[in-house]
Amino acid sequence: CTTLVQGKFFGYFSSFAVFPLNSSLCSWIIQNPDPRRYTLYMKILKPTGVCDYQHIRTYQFDSFLESTRTYLGMESFDDVLKLCDGSTRYAFLQSNKQFLQMKQTAPPGVESWPVRWKPTKAQERDFSVEYLVVGNRNPSKAACQMLCKWLDACLAISSSSHPCGIMQTPCSCSGGEVLDQASEILGLTRKKEDCYKDGIYLENCMSSPKDSSGVEFLGGWNPWSAWGDCTKDCGGGLQTRMRTCKPLPNEGLVCEGVLEEGRLCNRKACNTNGRYNSRSQSLRSTDNRKREDTDELQHYGYPAPQIGDPAAEEWSPWSVCSTTCGEGWQTRTRFCVSSSYSTQCSGPLREQRQCNNSAVCPVHGTWDEWSPWSLCSSTCGRGYRDRTRTCKPPQFGGNPCEGPEKQTKFCNIALCPVDGNWNEWSSWSSCSASCSNGTQQRTRECNGPSYGGAECQGHWVETRDCFLRQCPVNGKWQAWGVWGSCTTTCGGGTQRRDRVCYGPFFGGETCQGPKEEYKQCNDRKCPEPHEICDEESLGSVVWKETPAGDAAAVRCPRNATGLILRRCILDEEGIAYWEPPTYIKCVSIDYRNIQMMTREHLSKAQRGLMGDGLSEVLQNLVEISQDGTSYSGDLLSTIDVLRNMTEIFRRAYHSPTSGDVQNFVQIISNLLSEENRDKWEEAQLIGPNAKELFRLMEDFIDVIGFRMKDFRDSYQVTDNLGGGTLKGLGKDMDDHKYGVAFLQMSWRGMVDWAKNSEDKVTVSKSILSSGLAETDDSSIFVVGTVLYRNVGNILSLQRNSTVLNSKVLSVTVKPFPRSLLTPLEIEFSHLYNGTTNQTCILWDETDGGQAALSPPGRQWAKLSSWRG
């Protein structure tokens, strides 16, 4: 319901055509082709009815932003048009922006439409609109003629309460013509005898004579009078007519030519009984004698000069004075009677003299010139100007001045900052859902801001919840419950579980499918009496009767948490017997507390928090582990603590110190003590092997090498292992080989088993290379070596069950080198203790790892992996 007008310079429409009676919120928009080159004018014939709400609003604006529903440069014309004000029939306005809009709106709080008018006759609601687009430079003549009519009609009805909406025009409008046309627009009529002088209509006056070109005479002869009666009915008579001389200002009566002229008439012959009078007359003429000379002669009582003879007739009486008041003129005439034997008459046939009436003539009121337009009443925004004129008062009963004494028009000198303001909210939309909860929306548009004003505050869209009715809800099965106990312990039984249907509600469908479900259980053969381990008391623990293949569980002692497990198995003859109980699930209270504290520290480190107290945890673990472990679960708990410690050291939560390094190595040594041999055998059933222990140490060396800020070359020796860590730049290494005498020089004099060690590790420069020449010199490398004294006796290898009585060496290089031109060389010194067939075994972590045997004596090993 929107009408957009483009490319038209003149048009007309009726409100019923654009805003039908049964319509809602329609609009009419005209677009100015270019506001810099054109100005839009509008003339509105208001409705005759009186409305109780102005439901047609008029605006001008620069543009409209669809995204924020904002009108830029919005300005209302409601105070200019005042459609609901019936005191004036017409309204005019001038628009200088891109768009002019007339829009239908609903009154506040009114949802229904259309609005009721008073009175309710349809024809009394109608109004008409004419629009005119005029160029600001060189406007067309036709456009200016129309605009000038509108301007003067607008000014003619303007007042302080209804200023003219046309502020200026590019046209030059002349006063007389425009006022004449304005009266036609407003429906005013003038009497034919009215004339216009000095911008004012006068009544009872003679119009100024004009020649054929329409130019008004300023002085000279007045028009000829009508022809008089013929002097004879037959036989040829004479008709005359006369004219008067109009004096020039300050020059008197100066006219050339005849005052009177005649022509023959009634030339048909008379009957024989008639008297033939041959009357002829000579038409008089006037010379260049001034009027003052004639007046002077008459003033002293001398008759007007004339030439004639006694045959001339006598003068007629003087006529009535030409005016009823003030100065006028009187005339008298005579005829010349002559015969065929007489002479022709000479002298004037008409005389004229001034006459004065004693009555004073009425003087009508006349307007002075308009005063200049006043200054605008407002320094910015819409104000008004006015101008006035003074009426010269009438005299002697004359008519007063007609027309307005004051004219008012709108003005707009500068643009005031206008804050944005919201239009009324639209009606709520329909609910988004046909049932249950939904939403409704309504929107509003922002007028402005304009010229630096503030934005509209608030939202252009509002949402509210709506609820029409409850939606049907179908029944829905809840999750299955847990399986019930088996009906039998062996030989086949059944278990049952059920589920609950939630719903249905509000007419929904019921749940589809079974409510209960069954399955077979304990279908194995029931054991024979000899296949059941009998109840047994071991110490303070009572082991209940258990079938072969199952495990019984009892609580750990009071100083530990967890369960003690014991399996019932069959021997070779099929007789059930108890295995020894395992304490792999038992963890001493002290170890458990340290494990929980370490996990809390790790949780904080993962969240990026800073913490303290970690060194104390390591120290406590050293003291507890020195006395050995009570259960195999203590070993697993300690490995978990060390793994979490390494992960904490990777983060910024805690920077490891030299004391932390010493304590970490000491804890590993304590775990490898001979007192824990039986615990390791049990722990390896589900716990760590040699591979996992080596990786734990490698990860620790990697972390401390790169995380310790004040790192120095470190050498640690305990009862069960010894190790060293070197950190440096690639450019610090020798061009060929760099011998790292971890085991030869630095361990002497520490512990007995390492005092006389001649073992040696050699790391070449090729290992300490990233493969990228431009980064090798500045690359940081960490080399770590760990010698385990008795790990071969305690932990089984990954894929070799050989019991080792010799030392186990682990070498770590970080970061992982990209190329290996010269191998890593490890030199062992054999211990000749009666061992025969001495061998050196190499392995790696991959499936493709190789093992090699070497003869007795000094052994050189070339490794393809980084651990030996």
Side-chain angles (χ1 to χ4, degrees), residues 549-752:
D550 291 345
V554 295
R555 293 178 61 86
C556 295
R558 294 182 179 180
N559 66 340
T561 62
L563 298 174
I564 306 173
L565 303 179
R566 191 179 188 189
R567 292 180 59 83
C568 177
I569 61 176
L570 297 176
D571 61 10
E572 295 178 355
E573 297 178 356
I575 306 301
Y577 72 96
W578 288 105
E579 282 188 337
T582 177
Y583 293 85
I584 197 169
K585 294 293 185 180
C586 288
V587 181
S588 300
I589 299 296
D590 293 338
Y591 283 94
R592 182 66 173 172
N593 292 337
I594 292 178
Q595 185 179 18
M596 298 306 296
M597 291 173 61
T598 307
R599 289 179 179 178
E600 291 179 3
H601 282 286
L602 177 60
S603 176
K604 292 180 180 180
Q606 291 172 340
R607 298 197 302 270
L609 303 177
M610 301 298 293
D612 52 14
L614 200 62
S615 298
E616 289 77 1
V617 175
L618 280 173
Q619 183 63 39
N620 291 338
L621 188 57
V622 170
E623 296 173 358
I624 296 174
S625 61
Q626 284 178 348
D627 299 332
T629 58
S630 300
Y631 309 103
S632 56
D634 295 342
L635 294 176
L636 300 180
S637 174
T638 304
I639 295 296
D640 180 67
V641 170
L642 295 179
R643 187 179 294 113
N644 290 337
M645 284 289 181
T646 304
E647 188 64 28
I648 292 174
F649 289 158
R650 292 184 189 276
R651 305 171 186 269
Y653 181 80
H654 177 82
S655 296
T657 64
S658 58
D660 295 336
V661 176
Q662 177 66 40
N663 288 334
F664 194 98
V665 174
Q666 186 62 51
I667 294 171
I668 296 291
S669 177
N670 293 342
L671 293 181
L672 296 177
S673 64
E674 191 67 25
E675 292 82 356
N676 293 328
R677 177 186 292 273
D678 58 335
K679 312 296 191 307
W680 276 113
E681 292 178 356
E682 187 176 271
Q684 287 183 95
L685 297 175
I686 61 171
N689 52 27
K691 171 183 173 181
E692 295 183 12
L693 188 64
F694 295 155
R695 177 176 287 117
L696 180 62
M697 282 300 299
E698 291 171 8
D699 291 343
F700 179 73
I701 291 173
D702 179 29
V703 169
I704 65 172
F706 289 99
R707 282 280 293 122
M708 288 183 66
K709 296 179 181 179
D710 54 349
F711 179 86
R712 296 179 181 177
D713 295 348
S714 174
Y715 303 94
Q716 306 290 339
V717 178
T718 67
D719 293 337
N720 298 311
L721 60 87
T725 305
L726 174 68
K727 179 179 181 181
L729 298 174
K731 64 183 180 180
D732 296 333
M733 303 302 176
D734 188 76
D735 293 336
H736 300 288
K737 290 185 179 180
Y738 185 83
V740 183
F742 287 112
L743 313 178
Q744 189 178 41
M745 297 172 58
S746 302
W747 292 3
R748 252 177 227 141
M750 292 185 181
V751 292
D752 293 340

Side-chain angles (χ1 to χ4, degrees), residues 442-510:
R442 65 175 183 176
T443 59
R444 59 179 176 176
E445 296 172 344
C446 175
N447 295 334
S450 303
Y451 322 118
E455 297 282 349
C456 291
Q457 301 298 318
H459 300 286
W460 67 272
V461 59
E462 266 189 356
T463 304
R464 70 178 182 184
D465 296 331
C466 54
F467 185 89
L468 300 179
R469 62 184 179 87
Q470 291 285 1
C471 292
V473 178
N474 296 332
K476 182 178 181 181
W477 288 113
Q478 301 301 298
W480 285 101
V482 296
W483 288 103
S485 59
C486 192
T487 56
T488 60
T489 58
C490 59
T494 58
Q495 285 179 286
R496 183 180 70 89
R497 67 175 181 176
D498 53 14
R499 56 182 177 175
V500 177
C501 178
Y502 179 76
F505 305 103
F506 314 113
E509 297 180 359
T510 58

